[in-house]
Amino acid sequence: MSAPSKFRFVSSDRRVREDRRFVVGKGRFAADIVPAGLKHVALVTCPHPAAQIVSIDKSAALAMPGVHYVLDGAELAQATNPLAAGLDTPNVPRRPLAVDVARYAGEWVAAVVADTRALAEDAAEAVAVDYDPLPFVLDGEAAYRGGVLVHEAHGTNVLLDRTFVWGEVDKDFAASPHTLRHQVKWGRSATVPIETFVVTAQWDPWREMLDIWASIQMPKYPDQAAMALKLPMSSVRVHYDVDVGGSYGVKRGIKHTVLVGYLARRLGMPVRLVEDRLENMRGGDMHGPERNFDVEVGFDDQGIIRSMRMRALDNVGAYAGRSPFQLGKPVGAIVGPYRIKSVQYQAIAVLTNKTVQEAVRAFGQSPTNYAIERTVDEVANRLGLDRLEVRRRNMIRREEFPYLIPSGSTYDSGDYHTVIDKVLAHAGYEDMLAERGRLRAQGMLAGIGIAACLEPSGGNSSFEPLLNPKVGTTTWMDSCRISVDLVGSITATMHTTSAGQGHETLVGTVVGEVLEVDPEAVRVVRADSLNSLPSNSPVGSRMAIMLGGAAFHAAQKIKDKLIAIAAHDLGVPAERLTYKDGGVFDPSAPDKKRTWTELVTVAHRYIHRLPPGMEPGLSVSHIMPVPGGGGLPTADGRVQMYPCYSFEFHLMLVAIDPDLGKPEIRRYVIGHDCGTVINPKIVRGMTMGGIAHGIGAALYEEFAYSQDGLLMAQNFMDYLLPSAHEVPPVEIVHHETPSPLTVFGQKGSGESGYLGAPAAVASAVNDALRPLGIVVNSLPMKVTRLGDAIAAAREGKAAT
Amino acid sequence: MKPAPFEYSRPSSVDEACALLAADDGARLIAGGQTLVPLMAMRLARPTRLVDIARIPELAFVRDEGGRIAIGATTRQYVAEHDPLVRSKLPLLARVLPYVGHGATRARGTVGGSIANGDAAAEIVLVAATLGATLTWREGGNDFEMPASEFFLGPMVTALPLPACLTSVRFPVWPERRVGTGFHEVNARQSDFAFVSAAAQIALDTDGRCTRAAIGIGAAAAIPLRLDAVAEAMLGMPFEEAKVRASAMAALADIEFMADLHASADYRRRVALTLAVRAIADAFQDAARRV
């Protein structure tokens, strides 16, 4: 980082422009948009994990003052199309309100519209629903075996069960002197946003326009809403100019939007739904993966892993959303940073009577990284080798990039060994080992956690055709429009919402870099969906690459146009001209120059001086494909998933009081390589937040269910987010291995920290527990579970 | 998360508050609201009327009554935490108050509210039970008094009659010169409700022998537990960990420990013992530092 930068603004530690409005409490969120006459929705939800809806009596609710409507699932289903599903599962229809059968506790059964939210809640209580409870299934493995069916018409609980074989798996196992097989579990948690989902809809019958303000981070939101509402997409206008108070995948809200959009049209009133925390956690369909892994590896005496078999069964809850694809994305980094020659991967998604799963930060990659890293630790332990050394031996070396992995993705670049060396040097690894020894001598359990993993970035959608052959969508574009107005101000337009990722800073920095102007002077705005260029959304760690790339290319087009105008105006060939600080000049004849203002004036006012055929004005667009594009998978399921691969290496020290089982993180160091960093503050914020989130997933957060099928963690007293007390100071060690595929060499960092923190914490806790001869392979490793496991081990009972 | 409809009254005296309670079975007192308001938001509590006593002047005080410190029911936890009388004369209460919720909730939450809520995981409840505090309330124009040992009846259940208004908590002051305290609790995150907590207050003679002891366990069972047998066993003795452990183990043997989402009964039993021993050890050490 100390080397002189080849950039002017990129990589410099500039402020994040969005921070100001958030710090002073002046963000403008969806709930801040209040159309006149706004009405409020409250939901009637099913109290059973599965139930036949026998009858719904709305009369008492409708008789209450201030109540406008009670909507049930039958009416809504009549008027709308089912919500889009990722897989080809026509017999698993998903709708905003249950029709005839409710399939999880908290599922929406009816919606009440009233003058205020409080009145709507009063009326929701007065809606009398008669339920006939049905048998239910909660456990993913039990659902996979059969028995109770969540959707009778589907004939099975299995949404997806596919086994891929890449390379000579059986042969490589046969040739391996050692094998190791174990099960590891990732518990059900999520990204839990501070702002719950919010959507406001207003229908204007005279313009035939449905205006929507929503707290979204969803690709394909306007089109899915329009299709479900049976409206032309040109009649749905989604306003992207709202701040989103946290998301990391979960702010999809398509069912909320179809419900509210329908009500707004049906009633001719603006209607809003603001989820409360209970609705968010129980019925907001925002739970993340709940995944059982069965991993087997074949390896030699040196700890070189030759082949891996992985079975991953994900409990996706009661309906088929997009979530089964979270088993597909990890295909693009299925061997982690290691040279594993062959892989067998079985991906299973099953339905159960739990809340529906949605996309969560890293889209399924973090659980898989955890499973791989737990396995590498155990390989080292089995052979009595150092865990770091085993990783070093297996890792892809710098000179081997670009590196093709068995499942068909090529890693763009990396320098894993150097990052590890830098982290060890920074952390004082020998001192950490000594500290572990001191703690152990004091009677504490102490362990060092190690995790190395990748963050695939750039966000293709190749997992869609991989897991659903009927889908041909392999990638998504992102775009930027830049206008220089007639007085010379620059406005860049982006075409999605942001949930705190600092995209305005990103675009300003990139445009400033290319046009050599102060980034602060570049206005960045968001279009609405009808004014938008085709764009996706901030998913798949893609925006530095994709929005940054689109802004770069759009700014280049502006620059090229300015040079062309100057060339024509000066009567000099464009090749002879140089662009500098907004002006254009001929280095061989310094008086031959045009300033920014002169060029802008020609473009906007002195159109007769433009090159023949050139469009007047200075407005350009760039729609950018993912570098390398998207490709269809081969028949055996090999595909280039994402283009760029960031690397992270976690090193940490945990101490556990053996009597209490309470882990305490004493030290946390991460080495992070996401290529060229565009804004260091943003990357740092992403990484710190990701580590906090990962610590939560490893130790605290779990959507636990009771045996009778009810969600027990449905508020912040029971769903435990780590607080500032639990998250330690994090030391970040930077390394930059530029990507050859992107405009500045940048890679993604939107999910950084979270990719490896759960694996690192699990590694540390298990290193601490090793002297007791026990292994804990289930997340979250809650205090009391660790306490009980340690007590059992000390009493000489069977290991957990 | 909007409460069901309710009426709201703000009486200016305790008797007026009691009259409002007596007139409506569904009426409930509110002071700091740190427990009640979230419960109302989730509609788990549905009072027909809130009687807001937070601004009745006669209920907010910390008073030295000679031999005991009386704390008015609506005294904010934050105020008690920083009160010089509490700090000098009620060392165990002073020690636990920083563990009550968070700074922000202590600024609103009241000492009496915690007592009236009767949660066995609450630190103030634990200290009241451990030290044998006395609770006073007013009902129908009369004042009543009850020791903590009779007051806490079950999980969130107390002997306080519905139309009564808790007025004060009287904590006994230990006059001994060498008094020490110890407190430990375990939770998943700092400031969460404890899975188990243990409090000890011990007085030593000049030779370091125990002359008086009070030990309590919170959050483990339906009500806070006082381990009087452990306290008695220590009388006349210096700190001996093995003996303390043995007597604590015996005292905990017949207790029915709670199990919930966060902690098993076995966890609570084991950790109650661990924390009791640690709290007692700390209290001995703390007392030994005083001359």
Side-chain angles (χ1 to χ4, degrees):
Chain A
M1 290 292 283
S2 54
S5 175
K6 58 184 168 176
F7 303 115
R8 192 153 165 187
F9 303 114
V10 165
S11 295
S12 64
D13 198 16
R14 303 168 55 78
R15 68 172 191 158
V16 179
R17 66 167 70 176
E18 290 92 333
D19 287 353
R20 285 190 298 177
R21 66 177 188 263
F22 295 131
V23 166
V24 298
K26 297 295 181 190
R28 183 170 173 269
F29 297 89
D32 293 323
I33 313 293
V34 184
L38 181 64
K39 306 301 176 204
H40 301 263
V41 174
L43 297 158
V44 179
T45 63
C46 179
H48 308 287
Q52 188 78 34
I53 301 166
V54 180
S55 65
I56 300 176
D57 183 352
K58 308 170 185 176
S59 52
L62 286 170
M64 294 168 74
V67 174
H68 297 278
Y69 204 66
V70 178
L71 175 66
D72 60 32
E75 180 187 334
L76 187 62
Q78 186 70 33
T80 57
N81 291 318
L83 308 180
L87 299 173
D88 182 25
T89 50
N91 293 319
V92 187
R94 183 182 178 200
R95 297 179 177 280
L97 301 178
V99 181
D100 298 331
V101 177
R103 295 183 172 85
Y104 65 93
E107 184 173 357
W108 303 351
V109 170
V112 178
V113 183
D115 284 341
T116 68
R117 168 74 193 204
L119 288 172
E121 287 191 29
D122 292 346
E125 288 187 333
V127 175
V129 185
D130 189 11
Y131 294 101
D132 211 347
L134 296 169
F136 60 91
V137 58
L138 299 173
D139 179 68
E141 299 289 351
Y144 183 61
R145 288 191 295 270
V148 174
L149 293 182
V150 179
H151 291 263
E152 285 264 346
H154 186 57
T156 167
N157 291 322
V158 179
L159 288 173
L160 168 73
D161 186 355
R162 181 152 176 209
T163 301
F164 302 93
V165 179
W166 302 299
E168 306 273 347
V169 174
D170 291 340
K171 201 176 126 199
D172 290 339
F173 263 93
S176 297
H178 308 277
T179 62
L180 180 149
R181 182 176 170 186
H182 65 167
Q183 282 81 40
V184 298
K185 285 189 181 183
W186 176 278
R188 180 172 272 246
S189 58
T191 33
V192 180
I194 297 299
E195 179 204 34
T196 56
F197 193 81
V198 179
V199 54
T200 298
Q202 182 168 29
W203 172 250
D204 183 337
W206 308 110
R207 293 181 177 81
E208 297 189 354
M209 184 71 75
L210 186 71
D211 279 293
I212 294 175
W213 297 265
S215 172
I216 43 163
Q217 181 222 340
M218 181 177 172
K220 315 293 174 224
Y221 175 87
D223 46 319
Q224 287 195 21
M227 281 190 288
L229 288 164
K230 300 182 179 177
L231 285 170
M233 199 169 152
S234 57
S235 284
V236 175
R237 179 163 56 195
V238 181
H239 295 265
Y240 294 138
D241 191 17
V242 294
D243 290 315
V244 176
S247 174
Y248 276 110
V250 297
K251 287 280 181 66
R252 303 273 159 161
I254 193 69
K255 76 171 188 180
H256 312 58
T257 303
V258 172
L259 173 73
V260 167
Y262 172 76
L263 285 167
R265 282 185 80 199
R266 172 74 182 75
L267 302 178
M269 303 169 180
V271 175
R272 174 163 104 183
L273 170 61
V274 179
E275 284 181 335
D276 65 19
R277 190 57 63 184
L278 177 61
E279 287 163 349
N280 176 256
M281 288 190 160
R282 200 172 61 179
D285 294 0
M286 48 67 85
H287 292 187
E290 177 184 354
R291 205 175 282 181
N292 294 355
F293 291 95
D294 189 323
V295 187
E296 185 179 18
V297 284
F299 52 100
D300 67 16
D301 295 338
Q302 302 303 306
I304 304 294
I305 300 169
R306 295 177 176 175
S307 189
M308 176 173 75
R309 295 191 182 103
M310 175 182 282
R311 171 191 185 268
L313 180 144
D314 213 322
N315 177 340
V316 302
Y319 293 92
R322 200 175 166 72
S323 56
F325 290 145
Q326 296 191 91
L327 288 160
K329 173 180 166 181
V331 167
I334 197 69
V335 294
Y338 306 115
R339 290 180 295 203
I340 302 172
K341 284 193 303 189
S342 59
V343 176
Q344 175 183 312
Y345 177 57
Q346 184 182 14
I348 305 166
V350 291
L351 295 157
T352 64
N353 295 100
K354 287 188 176 179
T355 294
V356 181
Q357 187 189 110
E358 195 42 272
V360 160
R361 198 182 212 145
F363 208 62
Q365 187 71 53
S366 191
T368 302
N369 289 349
Y370 156 69
I372 294 170
E373 286 301 279
R374 275 274 57 238
T375 306
V376 175
D377 266 9
E378 291 304 324
V379 166
N381 292 340
R382 169 74 65 85
L383 295 173
L385 294 173
D386 180 71
R387 292 173 296 158
L388 272 172
E389 184 54 31
V390 167
R391 284 182 169 80
R392 283 195 178 108
R393 289 176 188 174
N394 280 286
M395 273 178 176
I396 302 159
R397 298 198 162 272
R398 178 173 52 192
E399 59 274 15
E400 293 177 277
F401 291 95
Y403 185 90
L404 176 66
I405 65 169
S407 54
S409 287
T410 296
Y411 295 170
D412 56 336
S413 65
D415 189 358
Y416 308 154
H417 295 83
T418 301
V419 174
I420 291 177
D421 289 343
K422 280 172 86 166
V423 168
L424 296 181
H426 168 91
Y429 184 56
E430 295 302 320
D431 295 343
M432 281 178 79
L433 290 171
E435 176 64 13
R436 181 182 67 179
R438 270 193 296 279
L439 288 164
R440 286 178 174 175
Q442 288 164 16
M444 297 286 276
L445 297 169
I448 288 177
I450 296 167
C453 64
L454 299 178
E455 178 179 0
S457 58
N460 280 318
S461 61
S462 316
F463 42 74
E464 294 192 43
L466 179 68
L467 300 182
N468 182 357
K470 287 194 177 174
V471 173
T473 310
T474 59
T475 186
W476 305 299
M477 66 294 275
D478 257 296
S479 50
C480 184
R481 181 163 57 225
I482 300 178
S483 291
V484 181
D485 59 36
L486 76 175
V487 295
S489 306
I490 304 168
T491 300
T493 309
M494 51 178 292
H495 307 275
T496 71
T497 54
S498 301
Q501 302 96 329
H503 296 140
E504 293 162 34
T505 301
L506 167 68
V507 171
T509 305
V510 170
V511 173
E513 183 74 36
V514 175
L515 294 179
E516 302 176 33
V517 298
D518 180 4
E520 295 293 322
V522 178
R523 170 71 62 182
V524 182
V525 298
R526 292 157 204 279
D528 62 52
S529 59
L530 297 183
N531 279 309
S532 280
L533 300 170
S535 277
N536 192 49
S537 84
V539 298
S541 291
R542 75 200 303 267
M543 292 311 251
I545 296 167
M546 294 300 295
L547 179 59
F552 175 90
H553 290 297
Q556 282 287 357
K557 287 180 182 174
I558 291 279
K559 190 200 267 189
D560 291 346
K561 186 165 180 178
L562 290 168
I563 294 172
I565 293 170
H568 183 259
D569 208 35
L570 293 166
V572 174
E575 309 81 64
R576 263 180 43 202
L577 295 176
T578 294
Y579 178 98
K580 188 168 191 308
D581 297 338
V584 180
F585 68 101
D586 180 349
S588 60
D591 60 316
K592 296 236 174 208
K593 63 178 183 192
R594 288 290 180 268
T595 65
W596 176 264
T597 304
E598 288 165 345
L599 293 170
V600 167
T601 302
V602 170
H604 279 281
R605 299 180 200 267
Y606 306 157
I607 295 168
H608 57 282
R609 282 163 58 183
L610 285 176
M614 178 181 276
E615 283 182 20
L618 279 168
S619 282
V620 302
S621 295
H622 188 84
I623 303 172
M624 174 155 158
V626 173
L632 287 169
T634 60
D636 65 349
R638 292 173 201 255
V639 69
Q640 180 72 39
M641 199 60 72
Y642 289 7
C644 303
Y645 288 81
S646 300
F647 175 70
E648 58 192 52
F649 176 69
H650 300 245
L651 182 66
M652 62 181 300
L653 177 67
V654 158
I656 305 174
D657 181 326
D659 293 319
L660 310 181
K662 187 166 179 167
E664 194 187 309
I665 300 171
R666 295 286 178 92
R667 184 95 191 270
Y668 204 113
V669 185
I670 178 174
H672 186 222
D673 182 356
C674 62
T676 303
V677 171
I678 293 178
N679 182 294
K681 284 191 171 68
I682 292 175
V683 170
R684 180 178 168 78
M686 298 281 197
T687 307
M688 302 287 266
I691 288 172
H693 185 193
I695 289 171
L699 296 176
Y700 304 105
E701 301 179 38
E702 185 176 33
F703 288 115
Y705 281 76
S706 68
Q707 286 190 340
D708 46 1
L710 305 181
L711 179 63
M712 293 170 80
Q714 51 188 19
N715 57 47
F716 287 136
M717 285 169 69
D718 293 321
Y719 186 87
L720 306 180
L721 292 171
S723 77
H725 297 299
E726 285 73 47
V727 179
V730 174
E731 299 153 61
I732 303 178
V733 177
H734 280 290
H735 189 73
E736 290 194 6
T737 310
S739 173
L741 305 177
T742 61
V743 294
F744 298 116
Q746 76 270 35
K747 303 180 179 182
S749 71
E751 296 149 341
S752 61
Y754 184 64
L755 273 309
V761 176
S763 171
V765 167
N766 279 297
D767 187 42
L769 297 178
R770 271 197 92 205
L772 294 171
I774 53 172
V775 175
V776 174
N777 268 343
S778 185
L779 301 188
M781 301 175 291
K782 294 202 163 196
V783 173
T784 55
R785 288 180 200 161
L786 286 178
D788 287 349
I790 293 165
R794 285 164 135 191
E795 288 163 26
K797 289 184 189 168
T800 46
Chain B
M1 292 225 178
K2 305 289 181 195
F6 61 89
E7 302 290 325
Y8 174 84
S9 309
R10 193 197 294 161
S12 53
S13 72
V14 174
D15 284 332
E16 202 186 321
C18 292
L20 286 161
L21 289 176
D24 181 353
D25 283 350
R28 293 289 178 275
L29 296 179
I30 185 167
Q34 296 304 290
T35 303
L36 182 57
V37 170
L39 287 175
M40 288 173 65
M42 290 185 269
R43 299 195 176 212
L44 296 171
R46 314 174 68 107
T48 50
R49 176 181 297 276
L50 284 185
V51 179
D52 185 352
I53 57 170
R55 300 187 210 190
I56 298 177
E58 63 195 277
L59 287 176
F61 58 84
V62 179
R63 243 180 347 237
D64 191 343
E65 295 185 339
R68 60 190 188 185
I69 301 292
I71 301 180
T74 62
T75 305
R76 307 285 181 186
Q77 292 153 3
Y78 180 86
V79 171
E81 181 185 350
H82 294 89
D83 185 274
L85 274 176
V86 172
R87 295 187 146 204
S88 60
K89 304 216 163 176
L90 298 176
L92 188 58
L93 185 63
R95 185 162 193 145
V96 306
L97 277 168
Y99 291 87
V100 179
H102 302 257
T105 65
R106 290 198 293 281
R108 295 201 69 84
T110 63
V111 172
S114 179
I115 295 287
N117 193 46
D119 188 333
E123 292 85 356
I124 296 171
V125 168
L126 174 63
V127 172
T130 302
L131 294 182
T134 302
L135 298 317
T136 67
W137 68 81
R138 198 161 170 82
E139 183 189 0
N142 299 309
D143 290 310
F144 298 86
E145 195 173 30
M146 183 182 275
S149 56
E150 296 167 29
F151 186 80
F152 300 111
L153 301 177
M156 324 286 273
V157 182
T158 71
L160 190 67
L162 269 187
C165 176
L166 190 81
T167 47
S168 77
V169 191
R170 290 165 159 161
F171 291 93
V173 175
W174 287 18
E176 294 91 335
R177 278 175 52 202
R178 305 184 79 193
V179 175
T181 61
F183 176 73
H184 285 274
E185 67 178 24
V186 178
N187 38 25
R189 302 174 303 180
Q190 189 173 323
S191 299
D192 277 351
F193 286 109
F195 305 143
V196 190
S197 57
Q201 183 162 302
I202 283 166
L204 298 182
D205 64 16
T206 47
D207 297 330
R209 294 174 204 281
C210 176
T211 58
R212 183 149 57 140
I215 293 110
I217 300 289
I223 56 170
L225 310 169
R226 244 174 79 136
L227 305 186
D228 287 347
V230 179
E232 276 165 35
M234 292 189 306
L235 289 179
M237 310 278 287
F239 179 67
E240 286 180 47
E241 183 174 333
K243 282 190 179 169
V244 168
R245 184 175 296 278
S247 66
M249 193 181 281
L252 294 170
D254 298 328
I255 305 297
E256 191 176 323
F257 285 87
M258 292 188 301
D260 58 26
L261 172 62
H262 298 294
S264 64
D266 276 349
Y267 183 88
R268 287 193 160 94
R269 177 181 302 281
R270 279 194 320 271
V271 172
L273 176 61
T274 299
L275 297 190
V277 175
R278 289 183 187 181
I280 291 166
D282 284 2
F284 264 95
Q285 227 174 49
D286 184 29
R289 278 198 294 268
R290 295 162 204 278
V291 264

